[in-house]
Amino acid sequence: MPQPATSERAIILAPLGRDSQIALMLLKEAGFDGVISADLIGLCTELEQGAGLLLISSEALLGTDLQPLLVLIEQQPAWSDLPIVLLTHHGGPEQNPASRFGPLLGNVTFLERPFHPETLVSLVTTALRGRRRQYEARDRLVDLSQSELRLQNTLETLEQQVEERTAQLRQNEEVLRQSQKMEAVGQLTGGIAHDFNNMLTGIIGSLELLRRRLSRGRTEDLDSLIDLGVTSANRAAGLTHRLLAFSRRQSLDSKPVEMNTLVVSMGELLQRSINESIRLDMQLCEQLWVAEADPNQLESALLNLVINARDAMPDGGRLVVQTSNQRLNADFTEAHSNLEPGDYVVLSVTDNGCGMPQSIINRVFDPFFTTKPIGQGTGLGLSMIYGFSKQSRGHVAIQSKEGEGTTVNLFLPRFGGEPLQESPVDSQHPLFAQNGETVLIVEDDPAVRVLVSTVLSELGYAFVEAGDADGAMPILDSGQRIDLMISDVGLPGMNGRQLAEIGRQYRPELKVLFITGYAEHAAVRGGFLDPGMQMITKPFTFDLLTAKVREMISA
Ligand SMILES: Nc1ncnc2c1ncn2[C@@H]1O[C@H](COP(=O)(O)OP(=O)(O)OP(=O)(O)O)[C@@H](O)[C@H]1O
Ligand SMILES: [Mg+2]
């Protein structure tokens, strides 16, 4: 940056005679500073040190290489527009070639010779005033860029602070999530252990009593003990069923469902489940779309919701069961994982009971979360509905306000295809085996295998057993008569579905009944089963098993 001493001086280039000295003298008399250059190169060297203006006589520019000066003028910073006073001779542009320098040199004022000293002084004064303005602009620019720099620094510091803070928050959140997860898992395992112990006590206790009685030869009144054991076992079955529903690992039998028909058919059961102080109101949409869901699961979801509503209204109230059509757009579905935009059939259950605060709403879908006294709720109802809705490609939402009531909306996808005609189930078959019918049982759990084979042989069926697919394959590849293969789905090694595939290569007509306790690969039955294949879930009653066996063999 030019020094103050040089920033206001005039650099004079007027090589003829004493022109330079006279000009310098005039300027000094007027109180200006100046320096004389011998040639254009000298002027450029001085200019690089700084100048307020240039005072040049036009003949000094003729016949010389102007390039060094033009470069310096071209390279001026944005704020600078160096004033140049050019001394010319009298006459028009033809006689006065110097006039063409005007556009080249920029900020040029012409001063025709001979001039009056005062004219020169006044021109130089004006030029310097302009130059000072330029210096002010420069200083302001410097100030500006400094504050910009400071601002930039502040911004950078801020950004860094925000980043650090965000990282900290994220870490806290992660820690919180982890601890919430552990709490939920603890609640889950604790809940299972507690409930299962109760049920096992019922099962083991009744079996032990049975054994004692039998060892003493007392056979009267065994039925009540057996009932006790079966009831406990069924409760345990119900518990695992609901857990599977929550974990979305149950085997869903999704099919087109007329939700209104289903709701109406449950009317009496629902009415019986609530007390008289609660008014049940059905608001069924007349043009309801067909939904796609597992009807049994849907029934149990509805019953659960109605019982929840009843429990929320101990002093009576109004319970509304409503069906409706709803189209969910991407704005809504994107906020929920695994939900596609499209048409949904909605089942809503509304009560005007106690409602819930947000802290409870946040937890109602956690398995074993309940606010009910021990023995009155397992805390699996909503967990199961949640899992069922997700596994059915639907959604469940709760709205609740303390003291005002609750609405639960269960969204199930609209069925897209042609409604199927249900083939009526022919249950007229006698259960007993006819002329040597043979069943192949493939099951890795010995207890289940023994029970199934025992029950079938009691009905007169012949049977062959295998513990896994490797054991079953040679039997399928042999001349052995097989009317039906009963196979577990979750076998060690090759699974039941793959075994069935291979079995059908040996025997294209092979009928297969799958039994499964856990439907990792069979979440939706429709996509899993080919014609001539059926599935029942563990635990199953022997009545169901034998009826299925008979039905399939006779088909
Ligand atoms: N309609 C409702 N109004 C008020 N609170 C409700 C309602 N539905 C559920 N809740 C709250 O959510 C909790 C969990 O409900 P969920 O159905 O999962 O389990 P539960 O009813 O306690 O037990 P379970 O259904 O297994 O018998 C309930 O204990 C209750 O606190
Ligand atoms: Mg419940």
Side-chain angles (χ1 to χ4, degrees):
M1 194 170 295
Q3 297 305 305
T6 57
S7 66
E8 299 216 340
R9 65 180 178 166
I11 301 176
I12 304 167
L13 174 63
L16 285 185
R18 288 186 30 85
D19 283 0
S20 293
Q21 280 79 4
I22 295 167
L24 179 62
M25 192 190 67
L26 288 173
L27 292 186
K28 288 210 158 155
E29 269 173 19
F32 298 116
D33 192 13
V35 61
I36 294 171
S37 312
D39 51 25
L40 197 68
I41 297 300
L43 176 130
C44 289
T45 316
E46 287 291 346
L47 181 54
E48 280 171 29
Q49 308 302 312
L53 74 153
L54 305 183
L55 185 62
I56 305 176
S57 70
S58 52
E59 63 276 7
L61 299 181
L62 294 171
T64 12
D65 178 14
L66 290 183
Q67 207 50 38
L69 178 61
L70 294 180
V71 167
L72 284 180
I73 287 175
E74 179 65 30
Q75 286 175 351
Q76 295 180 91
W79 54 265
S80 174
D81 189 18
L82 181 70
I84 300 174
V85 176
L86 204 56
L87 305 174
T88 60
H89 290 286
H90 175 70
E94 303 80 38
Q95 298 105 312
N96 190 358
S99 59
R100 71 181 160 88
F101 296 129
L104 278 180
L105 300 176
N107 187 5
V108 176
T109 315
F110 293 96
L111 176 59
E112 215 169 79
R113 284 183 285 200
F115 53 79
H116 195 281
E118 288 207 352
T119 317
L120 176 69
V121 170
S122 122
L123 270 186
V124 169
T125 309
T126 312
L128 270 181
R129 189 180 308 131
R131 188 64 171 157
R132 281 192 201 112
R133 287 257 168 72
Q134 294 174 15
Y135 291 145
E136 277 168 25
R138 173 196 66 195
D139 295 347
R140 269 206 297 280
L141 274 178
V142 170
D143 276 357
L144 261 178
S145 68
Q146 272 173 354
S147 9
E148 201 176 315
L149 207 66
R150 273 199 301 275
L151 198 68
Q152 181 74 31
N153 284 341
T154 319
L155 273 179
E156 270 166 22
T157 326
L158 256 177
E159 252 166 44
Q160 197 187 344
Q161 284 176 345
V162 169
E163 246 166 49
E164 285 170 6
R165 187 94 190 92
T166 313
Q168 176 79 42
L169 279 175
R170 222 176 268 143
Q171 199 190 341
N172 291 353
E173 202 177 296
E174 186 54 38
V175 170
L176 182 69
R177 249 219 337 240
Q178 183 66 19
S179 77
Q180 280 173 339
K181 194 168 86 187
M182 293 320 283
E183 197 187 323
V185 173
Q187 187 171 292
L188 177 65
T189 30
I192 297 176
H194 170 265
D195 286 10
F196 241 91
N197 275 340
N198 285 343
M199 295 157 194
L200 288 175
T201 308
I203 299 168
I204 297 171
S206 51
L207 285 174
E208 272 189 7
L209 281 177
L210 275 177
R211 175 151 56 196
R212 274 194 218 172
R213 293 235 181 128
L214 286 174
S215 69
R216 290 192 207 127
R218 285 177 55 193
T219 52
E220 83 285 4
D221 199 26
L222 294 183
D223 278 353
S224 64
L225 282 178
I226 293 171
D227 284 347
L228 187 70
V230 169
T231 307
S232 293
N234 280 336
R235 278 177 55 214
L239 179 72
T240 50
H241 195 91
R242 293 202 272 174
L243 283 171
L244 283 181
F246 169 69
S247 67
R248 305 176 216 172
R249 297 265 157 63
Q250 65 181 332
S251 158
L252 281 186
D253 196 4
S254 289
K255 46 177 84 159
V257 180
E258 307 269 5
M259 199 186 278
N260 285 345
T261 315
L262 180 141
V263 171
V264 169
S265 74
M266 287 184 71
E268 204 175 316
L269 174 64
L270 299 182
Q271 196 71 58
R272 258 190 287 124
S273 317
I274 57 182
N275 27 17
E276 300 87 53
S277 59
I278 296 175
R279 204 175 88 221
L280 175 62
D281 200 353
M282 301 261 201
Q283 298 176 356
L284 306 180
C285 166
E286 280 180 13
Q287 307 290 322
L288 195 68
W289 294 328
V290 177
E292 183 175 355
D294 182 326
N296 293 326
Q297 294 299 309
L298 182 55
E299 284 176 0
S300 97
L302 176 57
L303 187 60
N304 259 305
L305 292 177
V306 165
I307 289 174
N308 279 355
R310 174 201 69 192
D311 294 346
M313 301 186 288
D315 303 322
R318 180 159 177 253
L319 172 63
V320 183
V321 175
Q322 194 180 27
T323 57
S324 58
N325 296 329
Q326 202 158 323
R327 180 158 294 162
L328 298 183
N329 60 21
D331 285 346
F332 181 90
T333 54
E334 269 163 17
H336 302 91
S337 60
N338 294 327
L339 193 60
E340 292 293 321
D343 291 344
Y344 287 82
V345 184
V346 188
L347 176 65
S348 313
V349 177
T350 302
D351 64 67
N352 60 353
C354 60
M356 310 170 242
Q358 189 60 44
S359 57
I360 297 231
I361 298 178
N362 293 343
R363 303 185 62 192
V364 287
F365 294 123
D366 292 359
F368 293 104
F369 175 80
T370 181
T371 57
K372 297 175 187 172
I374 291 183
Q376 283 190 26
T378 51
L380 284 173
L382 287 175
S383 323
M384 166 206 143
I385 292 171
Y386 176 83
F388 162 59
S389 73
K390 289 287 157 203
Q391 201 184 340
S392 307
R393 294 178 290 110
H395 178 62
V396 58
I398 287 199
Q399 281 136 26
S400 187
K401 215 163 184 196
E402 258 187 297
E404 291 186 15
T406 304
T407 296
V408 181
N409 291 311
L410 176 60
F411 296 75
L412 292 168
R414 178 183 186 178
F415 176 66
E418 286 290 312
L420 298 168
Q421 218 55 48
E422 284 273 315
S423 52
V425 183
D426 180 7
S427 52
Q428 298 309 309
H429 307 291
L431 287 178
F432 292 95
Q434 293 154 20
N435 44 45
E437 284 164 343
T438 306
V439 178
L440 166 61
I441 304 161
V442 192
E443 164 64 62
D444 58 315
D445 187 316
V448 178
R449 211 167 56 222
V450 168
L451 286 171
V452 171
S453 50
T454 307
V455 116
L456 290 180
S457 67
E458 277 177 8
L459 290 175
Y461 292 94
F463 63 88
V464 256
E465 292 176 287
D468 57 17
D470 283 348
M473 227 108 73
I475 304 174
L476 286 165
D477 193 17
S478 71
Q480 168 72 48
R481 171 175 179 177
I482 298 172
D483 296 277
L484 173 72
M485 174 168 87
I486 298 180
S487 176
D488 190 12
V489 177
L491 291 171
M494 188 186 293
N495 72 36
R497 185 66 182 80
Q498 293 162 328
L499 174 63
E501 203 69 40
I502 293 177
R504 286 214 166 158
Q505 286 171 14
Y506 299 128
R507 302 164 187 248
E509 302 296 314
L510 182 68
K511 297 170 179 170
V512 186
L513 175 60
F514 292 109
I515 50 181
T516 177
Y518 173 92
E520 184 82 271
H521 306 286
V524 175
R525 282 181 220 184
F528 184 83
L529 299 178
D530 280 344
M533 296 182 180
Q534 294 206 33
M535 173 143 79
I536 57 176
T537 49
K538 295 178 195 168
F540 44 78
T541 61
F542 288 139
D543 285 350
L544 176 66
L545 174 73
T546 51
K548 273 276 179 231
V549 169
R550 194 60 258 159
E551 176 198 321
M552 289 187 73
I553 292 182
S554 302

